[in-house]
Amino acid sequence: MSEETREVIVVGGGVAGLTAGIFTARAGLDTLVVDHGESILRRNAHLENFPGFPAGVNSRLFADMLEAQASRNGCDRIESAVTGVHEADGGFDVTLDDGETLSADRVVAASWADESYLSALDVSVRSAGSKAFLQPDPDGRTDVDGLYAAGRLAEQYHQAIVAAGHGARVGITLVQDSDTPFYHDWVAPEGYFTDRGREVPPGCEEIDETERRARERESMAAMQEYFSEPHPDEPTPHPSLADDE
Ligand SMILES: Cc1cc2nc3c(=O)[nH]c(=O)nc-3n(C[C@H](O)[C@H](O)[C@H](O)COP(=O)(O)OP(=O)(O)OC[C@H]3O[C@@H](n4cnc5c(N)ncnc54)[C@H](O)[C@@H]3O)c2cc1C
């Protein structure tokens, strides 16, 4: 059993899980993403409907950038499969496939397409053929206090932007439920609040012109590097077509 109790464990490091983790980590919650396998988005040939990319983007590059963004914002990540989640001491024990057990105050299930590790909890699941969907409220809260569901597993539309948006919504809901002081996750120019006699609200930041330009330059350099070469990986084939060797 791990000594450390995380404030948030996110199961699944795909589009929804990493986005939820970005928001909880940026709000100051100690967040760990546990991911096994890879986002189904890596099977896509070319991602053309995610806003902000006029000519589309290689989906594997997009997934890499999302992982980097989560890490940069303080979200820890380990590669492991979650095999069980149990209620314990007002929070949860999260068991990994190597037998290790982690502790968390809150858990986000963002693990399309595996909900089997939740079988010990009394959580609503809708089965549809070989698929199973959790049935949270629109903000991602399930019937189990402290357990949230995000992305396709929560029966959201099967689109990356929807998974990202839902992950963000669930992450912010969790922050609100945790009683962390929070207004909006905004970066505003210096004076936006304070020149009107307001304190900078919790979750917001004011940055001056020097800092704004420094961040812009850093983002330009990062994007130039990401987009300097074609991505080396091919689309991941459907498991039924994958070579067994
Ligand atoms: C061929 C193909 C093309 C697509 N093209 C597009 C497109 O053009 N545009 C678009 O918007 N969408 C597209 N999609 C859909 C898009 O990829 C999904 O809607 C989106 O990735 C769902 O996000 P998610 O976070 O819910 O799931 P995922 O992104 O799949 O993330 C789930 C993560 O959970 C992990 N996981 C599962 N079980 C466990 C466990 N027990 N423990 C730990 N981790 C676990 C998985 O390995 C994965 O990393 C496409 C999908 C496919 C298959």
Side-chain angles (χ1 to χ4, degrees):
M1 166 86 69
S2 164
E3 297 290 314
E4 183 186 14
T5 298
R6 297 282 186 158
E7 290 174 295
V8 184
I9 288 183
V10 181
V11 186
V15 180
L18 287 171
T19 307
I22 287 170
F23 279 85
T24 58
R26 282 175 61 85
L29 297 179
D30 174 27
T31 302
L32 174 69
V33 172
V34 183
D35 187 48
H36 171 68
E38 61 177 33
S39 168
I40 198 171
L41 186 60
R42 289 183 185 267
R43 297 184 198 170
N44 160 279
H46 193 65
L47 181 58
E48 298 184 345
N49 55 8
F50 201 98
F53 298 95
V57 60
N58 181 309
S59 62
R60 287 149 296 285
L61 174 62
F62 175 85
D64 289 350
M65 292 195 298
L66 187 53
E67 284 182 18
Q69 188 178 7
S71 171
R72 183 189 165 93
N73 282 282
C75 186
D76 294 331
R77 180 176 171 278
I78 58 170
E79 292 192 16
S80 197
V82 171
T83 55
V85 174
H86 297 82
E87 290 180 272
D89 301 329
F92 299 92
D93 282 345
V94 177
T95 310
L96 308 183
D97 56 354
D98 65 2
E100 186 183 1
T101 300
L102 309 175
S103 300
D105 296 333
R106 291 180 167 80
V107 169
V108 179
S111 51
W112 179 249
D114 177 22
E115 88 310 333
S116 60
Y117 58 89
L118 296 171
S119 59
L121 300 177
D122 192 14
V123 58
S124 301
V125 176
R126 187 179 82 80
S127 295
S130 63
K131 308 295 186 198
F133 300 97
L134 303 190
Q135 304 289 291
D137 75 11
D139 291 323
R141 298 184 189 92
T142 71
D143 341 85
V144 178
D145 196 28
L147 175 70
Y148 301 77
R152 183 62 179 153
L153 188 68
E155 204 160 1
Q156 300 298 302
Y157 290 126
H158 214 339
Q159 301 292 163
I161 183 61
V162 177
H166 194 244
R169 182 171 181 163
V170 172
I172 293 170
T173 298
L174 191 157
V175 171
Q176 303 276 12
D177 290 351
S178 73
D179 293 328
T180 303
F182 185 76
Y183 174 63
H184 302 304
D185 184 343
W186 284 359
V187 182
E190 185 177 35
Y192 185 83
F193 296 104
T194 48
D195 284 357
R196 294 181 287 133
R198 289 185 60 182
E199 296 276 315
V200 178
C204 294
E205 184 184 14
E206 281 188 1
I207 58 173
D208 64 18
E209 181 65 6
T210 306
E211 177 65 13
R212 184 177 80 76
R213 286 296 182 194
R215 292 190 191 187
E216 181 182 27
R217 276 193 299 277
E218 190 182 1
S219 73
M220 289 166 67
M223 294 306 264
Q224 277 166 4
E225 192 173 335
Y226 277 118
F227 286 90
S228 62
E229 298 286 340
H231 197 279
D233 295 347
E234 297 293 320
T236 304
H238 189 276
S240 65
L241 300 173
D243 194 340
D244 285 341
E245 290 181 48

